Amino acid sequence: MERKVSFYEKYIKRVLDILCSLAAIILFCWLFAVVALLVRIKLGSPVIFKQPRPGKDEKVFMLHKFRSMTDETDDKGELLPDEMRLTRFGRFLRSTSLDELPELWDILIGNMSIIGPRPLLVKYLPLYNDEQRRRHEVRPGLTGWAQVHGRNLTSWEERFAYDTDYVDHLSFALDVKIVFMTVHCVFAREGISAEGSATMEAFTGTEAVTHE
C-alpha cells in the first residue's frame, strides 16, 4: 500500500529545510572557517570528506563532512582500521557533531533534510530487506529518530526500525521533538561509538526469521 504523504511533508518540510540550513550557514560561517582551519592543521588536506550516499528513492548523492580521520596506511599501502586513524581531535569533532556541519549545504541543495534517516553507505543497498529499504522513502537527515535513541550504540536492526517508524509517523511535532532530543544528545555526547569500535560496525544484512 502506498504511503500517505502529509501536507507538512509535501509542502512545509522542504521550505523549513531551506530556511533553517541557509540561516545556519550564515550565522555559523565563522565556525565553518575555524573548524576547517583546525582540520587542515591537525589532519591535513583535503579538509572536506566526500562520499556517495543513497538519498530519497535510493538516488545517490555526494555527502560532505569535515574529515575526522587521518590517511595513515600500513606497509601494504592499505588504510589502517578506523580506530587507529581516528585521532583525539577527530573524536572531538564527532562527539560534538562538528564534522557534520558541511551537510548543511547538502540540505540547502535538496539532497538531505534536517530530520530524517541518516544516509548510509551505497554498498548496503543490496543488503536491506523490504522493510528496511523503506527508510529511503524520505530524504535522509542530519539527525533522525534513530540517532536520538542511542546513535551508534544501538544495533542495525533497532536503528532501521526507528527509521521506518519515522517514515510512518513523520510530522512537524515529531521533527521538533527530534531537534530538542538531538541538542541533548550532542551536549551529553551520547552514543558516538559502538561498544568495542571507534565507529559503527559494518552492516552485513539481517538474517531472515524462519517459522517452523
Side-chain angles (χ1 to χ4, degrees):
M1 185 175 65
E2 186 176 351
R3 184 176 68 91
K4 184 178 180 180
V5 178
S6 67
F7 181 86
Y8 165 71
E9 181 182 353
K10 189 173 183 179
Y11 298 106
I12 306 299
K13 186 174 173 69
R14 177 63 191 141
V15 174
L16 291 179
D17 283 339
I18 294 173
L19 294 177
C20 292
S21 59
L22 182 60
I25 290 172
I26 294 172
L27 288 173
F28 296 108
C29 59
W30 62 271
L31 184 57
F32 276 81
V34 170
V35 175
L37 179 61
L38 289 175
V39 170
R40 180 66 180 85
I41 294 172
K42 293 180 176 293
L43 298 175
S45 182
V47 170
I48 299 294
F49 169 78
K50 296 186 290 186
Q51 189 177 55
R53 299 288 178 95
K56 187 176 186 298
D57 300 323
E58 300 185 3
K59 180 181 179 181
V60 176
F61 70 98
M62 196 63 70
L63 176 132
H64 300 80
K65 300 177 71 172
F66 282 121
R67 70 181 299 180
S68 57
M69 292 191 285
T70 67
D71 289 329
E72 293 179 273
T73 58
D74 58 21
D75 296 336
K76 298 179 181 179
E78 297 180 354
L79 288 174
L80 294 173
D82 288 355
E83 58 268 19
M84 297 182 67
R85 296 188 294 119
L86 187 61
T87 65
R88 182 177 181 181
F89 175 67
R91 290 180 185 277
F92 169 77
L93 288 180
R94 291 191 175 197
S95 67
T96 56
S97 295
L98 288 174
D99 63 319
E100 296 177 359
L101 282 176
E103 291 174 44
L104 289 170
W105 170 255
D106 297 322
I107 295 171
L108 182 62
I109 64 177
N111 289 328
M112 291 179 60
S113 177
I114 293 174
I115 309 296
R118 284 294 295 164
L120 302 176
L121 300 178
V122 174
K123 69 178 183 180
Y124 293 163
L125 286 175
L127 303 178
Y128 297 135
N129 59 36
D130 291 341
E131 179 65 15
Q132 293 167 349
R133 181 163 278 108
R134 294 183 57 240
R135 70 193 306 278
H136 296 291
E137 292 180 10
V138 299
R139 283 187 179 89
L142 182 66
T143 184
W145 197 220
Q147 280 59 51
V148 296
H149 285 90
R151 296 179 76 171
N152 289 341
L153 294 181
T154 55
S155 69
W156 281 112
E157 284 70 23
E158 290 174 317
R159 292 176 72 183
F160 292 145
Y162 281 121
D163 287 342
T164 55
D165 184 61
Y166 174 78
V167 171
D168 290 335
H169 299 91
L170 194 161
S171 68
F172 176 72
L174 181 57
D175 278 359
V176 171
K177 181 177 181 179
I178 293 173
V179 168
F180 282 105
M181 292 178 70
T182 298
V183 172
H184 169 76
C185 288
V186 169
F187 279 99
R189 300 189 185 182
E190 296 176 342
I192 305 303
S193 298
E195 187 175 356
S197 175
T199 55
M200 185 68 182
E201 295 290 345
F203 177 58
T204 57
T206 300
E207 293 186 6
V209 179
T210 58
H211 300 279
E212 297 183 357

